Amino acid sequence: AEHKVECDSITFSAAISACEKGCKWDKALQRFSLMAQSSVQSCVISLNAAISACQKGGKEREVLQLFSEISQSTVEVDTITCIAVISSCEKSGDQEKTLQFLRKVECSNWAKLCNGFSDG
């Protein structure tokens, strides 16, 4: 008998993370896109794994595109997301993108995000 696995944010996040660890940024992006096509709500874990995969592959532009797309959704970014996006902006040499990113993150989120730095 064939068993069908129900895909949810946990299984997608695990698959994206596996692609990231295997340095397969293109596969990670495919899985991340498939989440939306499958009507599975993306989460900060899947977003960070996709961003990390792109960073490892030297694909800073893809990181910025991912953030641009996700900023239209309800996914709340965390400190890891912010550091990764700012790093990608710096590596791409696009200072205007960095400023756009900083403007996109709501002021109310900054206090919460900065608390992540003092937790360790």
Side-chain angles (χ1 to χ4, degrees):
E2 187 176 310
H3 297 284
K4 189 168 185 169
V5 175
E6 184 69 30
C7 291
D8 59 12
S9 63
I10 295 170
T11 54
F12 272 107
S13 294
I16 294 166
S17 184
C19 293
E20 178 254 330
K21 296 208 182 342
C23 299
K24 302 289 186 187
W25 67 269
D26 54 338
K27 299 291 185 192
L29 286 182
Q30 288 173 358
R31 302 304 181 277
F32 192 78
S33 293
L34 187 57
M35 277 182 87
Q37 294 169 13
S38 302
S39 300
V40 174
Q41 178 66 41
S42 56
C43 62
V44 72
I45 296 168
S46 58
L47 171 64
N48 288 346
I51 285 174
S52 181
C54 291
Q55 281 189 306
K56 284 184 178 180
K59 302 297 180 183
E60 285 78 24
R61 297 273 179 212
E62 284 77 359
V63 170
L64 301 178
Q65 181 62 38
L66 254 180
F67 182 77
S68 178
E69 291 171 13
I70 207 70
S71 65
Q72 312 291 327
S73 76
T74 59
V75 175
E76 283 194 41
V77 299
D78 64 6
T79 306
I80 295 167
T81 314
C82 292
I83 291 169
V85 173
I86 290 170
S87 174
S88 291
C89 289
E90 180 214 357
K91 287 179 183 173
S92 73
D94 194 336
Q95 294 174 345
E96 185 57 36
K97 287 277 189 201
T98 306
L99 292 174
Q100 287 174 6
F101 167 71
L102 294 173
R103 286 185 208 113
K104 279 184 181 181
V105 176
E106 295 178 24
C107 292
S108 61
N109 283 340
W110 282 111
K112 184 175 84 173
L113 293 172
C114 290
N115 282 338
F117 290 114
S118 63
D119 290 343

